[in-house]
Amino acid sequence: MTRTAGAPTGQAHGSTAVTRSSSADAGQPRRRRRIGWPAVLAGLAILCVLTVTATVLRANGTLDAMVQAGTETSDAQEVTLGYFGNLTHGPALAGVEQGYFEQALGETELNTQVFNTGPTTIEAMNSGEVDIAFMGPNPAINSFVQSGGESVTIVAGATSGGAQFIVSNDVAGPDDLAGRTFATPDFGGTQDVALRVWLQDQGYEVDTGSPDSVSITPMPSGQALQTFRQGAIDGFWGPQPWATRMTQEEGGQVLVDERDLWPDGRYPTTVLAVRTEFLQQHPQTVEKILTGLEDSVDYLNTADQDQVIETLNTGFENARTEPLDPETIAGSLEAMEWTTDPMESTYATLLENGVQAGTTQEASLDGFVDDSLINTVRENRGMDPVGGEISAAVLPATGSREDAA
C-alpha cells in the first residue's frame, strides 16, 4: 500500500487548507486586496520551477523512489518458488533438498513448483501463482519489456555456462547445416534465441523453406533427447545435462559451446526473478530466499563432488526428472559455474539478440536488475559485491559462412 506523505489525516490530497480569521477581526469589514501583476508573474515562475523539478526527479527515478518510500513492507506468510529439473538449476535443486531456503525463511511457508520452460514459468508469475523463480534471462527480459517494466525483477544469478549446440556426427561443421532441423527447449527461451542469432550470423535463413534455410523445432529437453536418438532432428542447442547426455549416450558432437561466444566465457544461463509487486511488498522475504541461495551456491562450490551429485540426483527425482549417471553430472559440471552474480552488463546484448531473433522488441531495461539485496547478503558474510562489468558480446564470436567463403 502506497501513501503520499505530506497530507494531514482526514484531508484529501491536493485540497486547499482553510485559514480562519482571528476573533479580534470578527465583525469588522475587510478590504479585499487586489493581486497585482508582479505577484501573478512570481507565482507562475514558482509553478514553472516546481514543474521542471518534478520532471527531472521523475526522469532520474528519484520521484518514483520518493513515492515508493511510503510502501509498507512485511514478511510474507508464504512464498512459492519455481524452478526446473535441469542441472543448470542446481542452486534451486540443492537449496530445496538441503533445506537452505526453508531454514532461511523461518516462519514463512515455502511452496515449490517445477516447470519445464521459461515462458510457462513467466505465465505462472504473471498470474500470481508463483512469486519467485529460477529461469533463463531471455523469458524474463521478454516479460519485462511486454509489461512496460512492471512484471519481474532480476535479483540474483544462479548459473553461468552450460549451454551447448550438439549436432549429429554426420554434420561436417558450421557449413553443413542447410536443410537440417534442430531443436531448442522453447520458443523465445534463452537457448532458442542464441541458436536463431548464431544461425543468422552464420548466413542461414531460419524457417523460410529456402535451400539455405534451417528449421528450428522447440520441444522439451527430454523429448529432444529422444528425438535426437531416433534421428528425427540433427541437433539441439540446450542446457545441461541434456547436452552432455547427447554426447555421452548418443554420440553427438559439440559444434558450439556458448562460453566461447562471451568474454571470459561468462554469461547468465539461470537467474532468479521475482514478481516486482512481491519484491516491493516483501523485500524481507526475498532477502531470506537470497540468503538460502548463497548457502546453496556455497554448498555446490565447496562440498565433496560425490555428495553434490547425490543431492542433485535426489533433487531430480523430486522434480519428476530421471536421475543421472554420476559421470554425466560430473561431465556437465565442467561446463558450468555456480554464481549469484546476475551479470547485469550482459542484458543489453541478450535484449539485442532477442530483437534480432524476433522474440522481443527494443526497450529500456532500466530497473530490470536489482542487486541491492544480494549484495546486502554478501556484505553480511564479508563477501565482495556482485555487479562488476562484463564486456557485452554480440553473437557470434567466430566468422560467418559468408566470411569464410
Side-chain angles (χ1 to χ4, degrees), residues 79-83 92 96-97 101 109-115 130 132 318 320:
V79 58
T80 300
L81 174 70
Y83 62 96
V96 171
E97 294 308 316
F101 296 131
E109 181 181 354
L110 174 66
N111 302 307
T112 62
Q113 190 166 342
V114 177
F115 294 89
V130 171
I132 183 166
N318 292 331
R320 303 187 300 277

Side-chain angles (χ1 to χ4, degrees), residues 78-201:
E78 62 178 357
V79 58
T80 300
L81 174 70
Y83 62 96
F84 301 2
N86 283 350
L87 195 55
T88 48
H89 287 233
L93 297 167
V96 171
E97 294 308 316
Q98 294 296 112
Y100 294 129
F101 296 131
E102 195 168 17
Q103 180 179 354
L105 285 170
E107 295 183 358
T108 299
E109 181 181 354
L110 174 66
N111 302 307
T112 62
Q113 190 166 342
V114 177
F115 294 89
N116 292 321
T117 69
T120 56
T121 309
I122 285 294
E123 290 177 8
M125 296 184 77
N126 289 341
S127 69
E129 183 180 350
V130 171
D131 303 306
I132 183 166
F134 292 86
M135 66 182 68
N138 279 94
I141 289 174
N142 295 345
S143 176
F144 184 85
V145 170
Q146 292 170 7
S147 69
E150 297 182 356
S151 60
V152 297
T153 303
I154 300 300
V155 293
T159 308
S160 172
Q164 295 175 328
F165 186 20
I166 308 301
V167 297
S168 56
N169 55 19
D170 66 328
V171 174
D175 295 338
D176 188 27
L177 306 182
R180 296 182 181 272
T181 299
F182 302 100
T184 61
D186 50 55
F187 177 77
T190 303
Q191 285 84 48
D192 182 75
V193 169
L195 175 58
R196 291 176 188 275
V197 171
W198 185 84
L199 287 171
Q200 290 175 20
D201 288 344

Side-chain angles (χ1 to χ4, degrees), residues 263-284:
D264 300 323
R266 302 186 77 231
Y267 64 96
T269 306
T270 306
V271 296
L272 187 60
V274 184
R275 285 194 300 110
T276 300
E277 182 181 14
F278 186 88
L279 175 62
Q280 293 170 347
Q281 295 174 346
H282 307 295
Q284 302 95 324

Side-chain angles (χ1 to χ4, degrees), residues 221-392:
S221 299
Q223 180 181 343
L225 174 63
Q226 298 295 330
T227 308
F228 185 70
R229 178 177 295 152
Q230 296 165 0
I233 59 173
D234 298 289
F236 174 70
W237 192 307
Q240 301 295 343
W242 309 103
T244 294
R245 291 191 65 180
M246 286 184 179
T247 59
Q248 290 185 349
E249 301 174 17
E250 308 305 328
Q253 56 179 322
V254 179
L255 185 61
V256 179
D257 187 322
E258 197 169 336
R259 290 179 298 182
D260 297 334
L261 306 179
W262 293 88
D264 300 323
R266 302 186 77 231
Y267 64 96
T269 306
T270 306
V271 296
L272 187 60
V274 184
R275 285 194 300 110
T276 300
E277 182 181 14
F278 186 88
L279 175 62
Q280 293 170 347
Q281 295 174 346
H282 307 295
Q284 302 95 324
T285 303
V286 176
E287 183 175 337
K288 290 177 179 179
I289 285 286
L290 293 173
T291 297
L293 176 60
E294 280 289 0
D295 288 335
S296 180
V297 167
D298 180 66
Y299 167 79
L300 290 170
N301 284 328
T302 61
D304 178 77
Q305 187 177 79
D306 291 339
Q307 182 181 357
V308 168
I309 290 174
E310 182 179 354
T311 297
L312 293 172
N313 263 333
T314 302
F316 287 143
E317 289 184 295
N318 292 331
R320 303 187 300 277
T321 300
E322 181 184 356
L324 299 173
D325 187 291
E327 292 184 3
T328 298
I329 296 181
S332 299
L333 294 180
E334 294 178 1
M336 297 161 45
E337 173 193 356
W338 311 118
T339 176
T340 57
D341 186 352
M343 304 181 188
E344 180 176 0
S345 62
T346 64
Y347 292 109
T349 296
L350 291 168
L351 174 62
E352 179 183 344
N353 292 340
V355 172
Q356 181 177 341
T359 61
T360 192
Q361 58 189 10
E362 291 282 3
S364 170
L365 292 181
D366 289 345
F368 179 54
V369 178
D370 182 353
D371 58 14
S372 61
L373 292 179
I374 189 62
N375 279 331
T376 296
V377 172
R378 293 175 67 87
E379 182 180 1
N380 292 339
R381 296 170 178 234
M383 303 172 67
D384 292 334
V386 298
E389 288 299 316
I390 299 175
S391 299

